[in-house]
Amino acid sequence: MKPFNYKNVIFVPVALFSAVTFAQQPTTEDTERLIDNAQRPAFSQGALPAASQQDVTPALAEPAAAPLSQSQHHMLPFWGDEARARGYDLPETFGIGINHMNMRQNIEVSSIAFSGLGWDTFQMPGDLFNIKAENSREKSKTETMRLDAWVLPFLNVYGIVGHTRGSSHSIVSVDADPSQYTGLMERIIASAVHQMNKSGQLKDLDFNLDFKGTTYGAGFTLAGGYENWFTTLDTNYTRTDFNILDGQISALTVTPRVGYRFQMPGISGTSHLNLWVGSMYQDVQQEFKGSLGDLNMPAALQPLIAIANQRGEGRFRVKQHLQSPWNVLVGAQYEITRNFNVMTEIGFSERNSAMVSAEYRF
């Protein structure tokens, strides 16, 4: 029986774009002098990735009198002072964010197998039941908290922890072939299951399942740009402990994005609006196993499972895969202030998703 379709519920989008774009000011004579005077290792004197251009501010026109921002007092990012001396406006070093993701997607089930079925001394063959699952659809909601830091002007690293809950729906059919077995008991059980399938009792059954679990992981974001254009590549690895599975489910998610940065009015001066398009790739562990006792079977199957699992040792093993590992993303992020921003992102084509988040940087 298909336990549930939880592909990608453990993915947590984590690239917050106030933290992945940094602006380069037009070079002035004063800035050039500041660059010349900057103390930096010789091997770091190459060009840093450029991003959006902004108008020269009075503070930049008189660098000697400009007060240092809070981020300039941090040890991180490494070579951050050099980047600022070259005219780059870096985001605040550290960030804490809250994310909410709502996702729906289709799953294809390759195989479902049972083991440990039987009673007294009789051991039922694991391949006696032929189970097919169709039109499998999963939906999930994930809330996470993210902590991050810029370790280099173009590299952000982060950790995430949160909670996932959701449900799945599948159309399942159960059959058996008596001709495949020579033992009397096996043939009797297979014949009974086959007759129930032919009569429609074990065909097109609605199989629903609720699930929940704890998600945690880590990742990094690479960022760069030219003038107002920017690009990011976000990669993260997560694990989720689900309440109805043995062990952990792991996922690798890679998300490239490209976008444009607009200057916008803000509550404390000039702010920015970032718009982008991208794509999400996910590679999720494909084989799952657990106890049959943790599954809520369809009513038509409950008497059959009760007979076959009298010892309570029955287990399931499911192999499944995504219909497509890729989908398309569009998103926007608005910097309310330098320290606070909000973001939304929508996914479509093969996988539907909606994500909102808020982040505070310091």
Side-chain angles (χ1 to χ4, degrees), residues 315-329:
R315 301 184 60 78
F316 65 84
R317 183 182 297 269
V318 178
K319 293 182 179 180
Q320 59 187 39
H321 60 274
L322 300 175
Q323 288 189 348
S324 173
W326 289 95
N327 73 325
V328 179
L329 302 173

Side-chain angles (χ1 to χ4, degrees), residues 162-173:
H163 181 75
T164 296
R165 64 187 186 281
S167 62
S168 68
H169 175 266
S170 301
I171 304 297
V172 299
S173 298

Side-chain angles (χ1 to χ4, degrees), residues 163-209:
H163 181 75
T164 296
R165 64 187 186 281
S167 62
S168 68
H169 175 266
S170 301
I171 304 297
V172 299
S173 298
V174 182
D175 201 355
D177 185 0
S179 65
Q180 299 296 316
Y181 303 97
T182 57
L184 177 61
M185 185 61 66
E186 289 88 345
R187 290 179 64 89
I188 292 175
I189 297 173
S191 296
V193 172
H194 183 61
Q195 290 299 320
M196 294 175 68
N197 178 273
K198 290 181 61 178
S199 67
Q201 291 178 265
L202 297 181
K203 278 187 177 181
D204 300 329
L205 304 178
D206 289 320
F207 182 54
N208 299 294
L209 189 66

